[in-house]
Amino acid sequence: MNNNDFGFDTLAIRSGHRRTSELEHSEAIFATSSFVFENAAQAAARFAGDEPGNIYSRFTNPTTRAFEERLAAMEGGEACVATASGMAAITSLCLAMLKTGDHIVSSRSVFGTTTSLFEKYLPRFGIETSFVGLTDLDEWKQAIQSNTRFMFLETPSNPLCEIADISALADLAHENNCLLVVDNCFCTPALQRPLELGADVIVHSATKYLDGQGRIVGGAVVGPRPLVDEEVFGVIRTTGPSMSPFNAWVALKGLETLNLRMNAHSQQATELARFLQQHPRVEKLFHAGLESHPQHELARSQQHGFGGVVSFVVKGGREAAWKVIDSTRMLSITANLGDVKTTITHPATTTHGRVSDELKRISGIEDGLIRVAVGLENIDDIIADLSRGLDA
Ligand SMILES: *Cc1c(COP(=O)(O)O)cnc(C)c1O
């Protein structure tokens, strides 16, 4: 199918599937490590790259391919390579793009393990990272060097839901001969398509909303064909962090309902935020769907919804925050997100537990901060569960 002729939901449901001679209606899982050849000459042609076709599931598998093509279509990207996890996607992109002496500029508000990769592991190979405030364009500008290869960010940020101006940062990257990489985990292409706003490369943790039901760990890189199909694919083929066909199938089926789920997550999150906004125990509230959010207009202009995360500071610091968390009976106390089940986290002692007090202060990770990734249970039940601790 020609992707330009179809709407987003059609692509999510129909693209990437090549029916086999069995005429299956739902996509098949090709649970096979290798593929056979008609004869020795075909094997030679496949290995030489002269003939397209399957060889070995570390780098080609029809189920994984279907997931890759579908996600590429939904992001509006030329090519996609699936990976074993979101971190494998980011690491593979780094291996594909960087060499000793190169430099990255990254938002300070990125996933904790991404920070560890940039801060602890890349310097071993002579690659340095400068960390900047997500919304401070001047700080990004100041941090760029002649050896900067890419700028890296997540928007909305976790857990404070700050919004980056993707177009402005893409322009800045291009003026400086580097690429803009966006981790589109929080919004997914259902709510935000960074490539249309000028970004060059998307990374995903399929573990989150793409699966959406907490069943698998997976990831993906989406972007221009030469970079993704040659460089990133080459790294994955050589180093091996491939997505398994079963995980690809789960994520592929997740994509079919992504738009419905993301819109429902967004609606529920905004409803929860409106409830928390009038609660006397809530000191600060972070969700871009509220008109009071400093980048509400920017979020409206570059997103189709505000996402499923709501964070808030409860009066009384760590003790009060833990009490709200421990008083819930239904919400899952877990650091994961992007699930139909609502999750609740205390960032200061979990996801950001090993971050220095100084960095926590700069990043706004207060002791009273609670992050809720709003799921799809009835919103009244979610509010009632949170109210137990808030009203106590
Ligand atoms: C979870 C997450 C990752 C890492 O993904 P894994 O699948 O756990 O490796 C990267 N970025 C963001 C924003 C995430 O939430």
Side-chain angles (χ1 to χ4, degrees):
M1 52 194 275
N2 182 353
N3 292 342
N4 296 330
D5 297 343
F6 294 97
F8 185 80
D9 289 318
T10 308
L11 294 176
I13 290 167
R14 294 280 178 181
S15 62
H17 181 205
R18 283 185 196 83
R19 208 164 276 154
T20 74
S21 58
E22 299 293 342
L23 300 183
E24 71 282 2
H25 190 210
S26 176
E27 299 78 349
I29 307 178
F30 285 88
T32 179
S33 50
S34 73
F35 299 84
V36 296
F37 310 107
E38 302 280 357
N39 49 50
Q42 187 183 51
R46 293 249 173 113
F47 271 84
D50 296 337
E51 180 190 299
N54 297 311
I55 301 177
Y56 186 61
S57 286
R58 178 166 10 88
F59 47 98
T60 54
N61 178 281
T63 312
T64 308
R65 192 73 221 139
F67 167 72
E68 291 168 339
E69 286 183 13
R70 188 166 294 177
L71 183 58
M74 291 165 74
E75 285 285 9
E78 284 177 10
C80 170
V81 183
T83 55
S85 67
M87 288 318 303
I90 299 169
T91 306
S92 302
L93 181 69
C94 288
L95 286 178
M97 285 193 61
L98 303 170
K99 60 179 188 318
T100 302
D102 282 346
H103 175 254
I104 305 169
V105 183
S106 172
S107 156
R108 213 172 276 128
S109 318
V110 292
F111 188 61
T113 316
T114 306
T115 307
S116 299
L117 172 67
F118 291 169
E119 237 175 9
K120 183 170 170 196
Y121 293 98
L122 293 187
R124 294 184 185 178
F125 303 94
I127 297 156
E128 299 298 332
T129 302
S130 304
F131 290 95
V132 298
L134 179 67
T135 58
D136 187 339
L137 195 61
D138 275 336
E139 215 185 329
W140 286 94
K141 226 178 255 179
Q142 298 299 323
I144 294 176
Q145 307 173 1
S146 57
N147 57 345
T148 303
R149 297 297 313 280
F150 63 74
M151 297 168 25
F152 188 97
L153 61 87
E154 289 166 22
T155 180
S157 70
N158 178 20
L160 296 184
C161 304
E162 289 177 302
I163 309 292
D165 187 334
I166 296 177
S167 300
L169 288 165
D171 288 346
L172 179 65
H174 301 153
E175 282 159 20
N176 290 278
N177 263 329
C178 61
L179 302 186
L180 178 65
V181 181
V182 175
D183 181 334
N184 203 23
C185 174
F186 267 53
C187 272
T188 82
L191 303 185
Q192 167 174 281
R193 282 185 286 284
L195 298 178
E196 287 173 3
L197 298 165
D200 302 284
V201 184
I202 306 291
V203 292
H204 266 293
S205 169
T207 315
K208 311 293 165 51
Y209 292 106
L210 301 191
D211 165 23
Q213 292 169 69
R215 300 166 293 191
I216 58 147
V217 173
V221 181
V222 183
R225 201 173 291 288
L227 174 67
V228 172
D229 269 358
E230 286 165 37
E231 303 300 328
V232 181
F233 174 76
V235 166
I236 286 156
R237 174 177 181 150
T238 308
T239 63
S242 337
M243 181 181 263
S244 83
F246 177 76
N247 287 358
W249 182 80
V250 172
L252 176 72
K253 300 307 279 182
L255 292 180
E256 294 176 358
T257 54
L258 185 68
N259 202 20
L260 277 175
R261 287 186 286 105
M262 292 314 294
N263 280 301
H265 281 292
S266 295
Q267 256 174 35
Q268 301 243 98
T270 301
E271 210 166 318
L272 175 62
R274 293 209 189 289
F275 163 77
L276 292 169
Q277 195 170 29
Q278 50 73 43
H279 201 287
R281 298 277 316 283
V282 173
E283 210 168 69
K284 292 182 191 169
L285 182 57
F286 308 95
H287 179 69
L290 297 173
E291 292 76 10
S292 55
H293 186 286
Q295 291 126 6
H296 176 69
E297 284 310 318
L298 176 60
R300 281 182 78 93
S301 72
Q302 69 181 18
Q303 299 173 204
H304 307 286
F306 301 104
V309 175
V310 178
S311 296
F312 60 98
V313 175
V314 59
K315 285 180 191 157
R318 199 218 66 179
E319 207 178 321
W322 278 21
K323 181 145 194 237
V324 171
I325 293 170
D326 290 343
S327 301
T328 61
R329 293 181 201 151
M330 177 182 79
L331 270 49
S332 311
I333 305 174
T334 169
N336 197 26
L337 59 88
D339 197 303
V340 290
K341 297 186 173 80
T342 300
T343 64
I344 186 164
T345 315
H346 184 243
T349 52
T350 59
T351 52
H352 294 68
R354 279 185 275 175
V355 172
S356 69
D357 287 348
E358 170 63 4
L359 192 55
K360 263 188 226 166
R361 196 186 52 76
I362 297 177
S363 315
I365 310 296
E366 296 182 40
D367 285 339
L369 184 71
I370 293 173
R371 184 195 76 191
V372 178
V374 185
L376 303 184
E377 304 97 336
N378 288 100
I379 187 65
D380 293 345
D381 296 328
I382 298 170
I383 288 174
D385 208 32
L386 271 169
S387 297
R388 260 186 268 281
L390 277 175
D391 296 343

